[in-house]
Amino acid sequence: MKRRLVLLGAPGSGKGTQAEMITRHFGIPVTSPGAILRREKELGTPLGLETAETTQHGGLVPDKIIVELIEDWLRLHGGHGFVFDGFPRTMPQAESLQHILQRHRTPLDFAIWLDVSEQTIGDRISSRLQCQSCGFTTSATSAVFAERPICPYCDGPLVRRMDDDTVVLRHRLEEFNTKTQPLADFYEKLGTLRRIDGNRDREAIFAEVSRLIEQTA
Ligand code: AMP
């Protein structure tokens, strides 16, 4: 199935989880600048080193770097549609994406906005475990993973993310409120915004996301 979607929402809103479920279920390719940057950092590449300080403190990496990452990815994989998890996050990024898509005459199908309360964000971030190899995300409150923190898909180690700490989270939320929130208006005006209650469990949210994907011609 070929769809072009972006997933937007606060840290802990479930973007990564939904992106992974979409790609497993519908086969739409997914990418996440956050995941790419974590991998680059682990590998010690120039990009990883250049952006490590910013990501570690929960700031947003310069737009130019992120847009180049997305353009490179689209050149390689864009022919099969996409799900962007955590892109765009600023108005200049959203405008760049519009220009890229207009140039290729491939409009966005919709922008999914996962609405979550502060309580949900705090609960999810404080218990989040993520696979270091494939990015699968789960919760340390799930007994099976608390006892055996191994990824069920690739056997990679499930670990806490370095930026999932209270002080860093506060900064990530400030960045979200000041730089990402305006994107809701942007996509609303384009008629592509779809708001979904992200406070529910992953299956309930995915059922709604799936309906949207299936209904799109
Ligand atoms: P995420 O995995 O989406 O939570 O992203 C982790 C970190 O990567 C963010 O806190 C930012 O430092 C950086 N990052 C990810 N996506 C973007 C983006 N679209 N623009 C700027 N920085 C980003």
Side-chain angles (χ1 to χ4, degrees):
M1 194 175 282
K2 193 163 156 180
R3 295 285 183 274
R4 290 179 288 272
L5 325 171
V6 297
L7 285 172
L8 310 168
S13 58
K15 300 184 293 296
T17 300
Q18 293 302 315
E20 182 202 304
M21 292 172 89
I22 294 171
T23 196
R24 280 192 208 286
H25 192 85
F26 293 105
I28 309 171
V30 59
T31 194
S32 146
I36 295 174
L37 295 174
R38 275 188 290 283
R39 177 53 52 98
E40 297 273 333
K41 186 176 154 195
E42 266 168 44
L43 294 173
T45 66
L47 175 64
L49 297 174
E50 184 188 345
T51 53
E53 169 103 15
T54 307
T55 54
Q56 206 164 317
H57 295 105
L60 291 184
V61 168
D63 293 327
K64 187 171 176 302
I65 295 181
I66 299 290
V67 171
E68 275 175 19
L69 278 182
I70 292 292
E71 282 192 299
D72 286 349
W73 187 90
L74 279 171
R75 252 191 300 278
L76 287 173
H77 310 278
H80 307 287
F82 58 77
V83 181
F84 291 148
D85 156 18
F87 174 84
R89 263 178 155 114
T90 65
M91 280 304 295
Q93 291 179 18
E95 282 157 0
S96 297
L97 178 61
Q98 273 306 103
H99 292 143
I100 296 168
L101 296 178
Q102 277 164 0
R103 219 167 46 231
H104 292 96
R105 295 196 172 77
T106 51
L108 195 69
D109 289 312
F110 41 83
I112 298 179
W113 191 282
L114 295 171
D115 273 315
V116 278
S117 66
E118 276 186 30
Q119 177 79 45
T120 300
I121 296 172
D123 291 349
R124 289 207 186 134
I125 295 285
S126 63
S127 66
R128 173 154 73 180
L129 288 179
Q130 194 164 57
C131 174
Q132 223 168 10
S133 304
C134 74
F136 166 74
T137 302
T138 186
S139 167
T141 56
S142 158
V144 55
F145 296 121
E147 282 167 24
R148 189 173 179 272
I150 301 292
C151 177
Y153 294 105
C154 74
D155 287 339
L158 295 174
V159 296
R160 299 268 307 138
R161 265 173 57 167
M162 296 266 284
D163 57 349
D164 277 352
D165 109 339
T166 336
V167 177
V168 178
L169 175 62
R170 208 172 306 132
H171 190 202
R172 288 162 72 200
L173 284 173
E174 275 164 21
E175 293 282 63
F176 173 75
N177 289 329
T178 54
K179 296 178 183 164
T180 310
Q181 278 287 358
L183 270 58
D185 263 3
F186 178 82
Y187 285 114
E188 182 87 71
K189 285 191 185 116
L190 288 173
T192 47
L193 187 74
R194 304 287 184 275
R195 282 186 183 274
I196 290 186
D197 176 1
N199 295 295
R200 297 162 300 161
D201 65 51
R202 59 173 75 201
E203 281 77 20
I205 301 168
F206 185 61
E208 211 170 314
V209 169
S210 296
R211 265 197 301 281
L212 273 178
I213 293 176
E214 283 159 357
Q215 281 163 7
T216 310

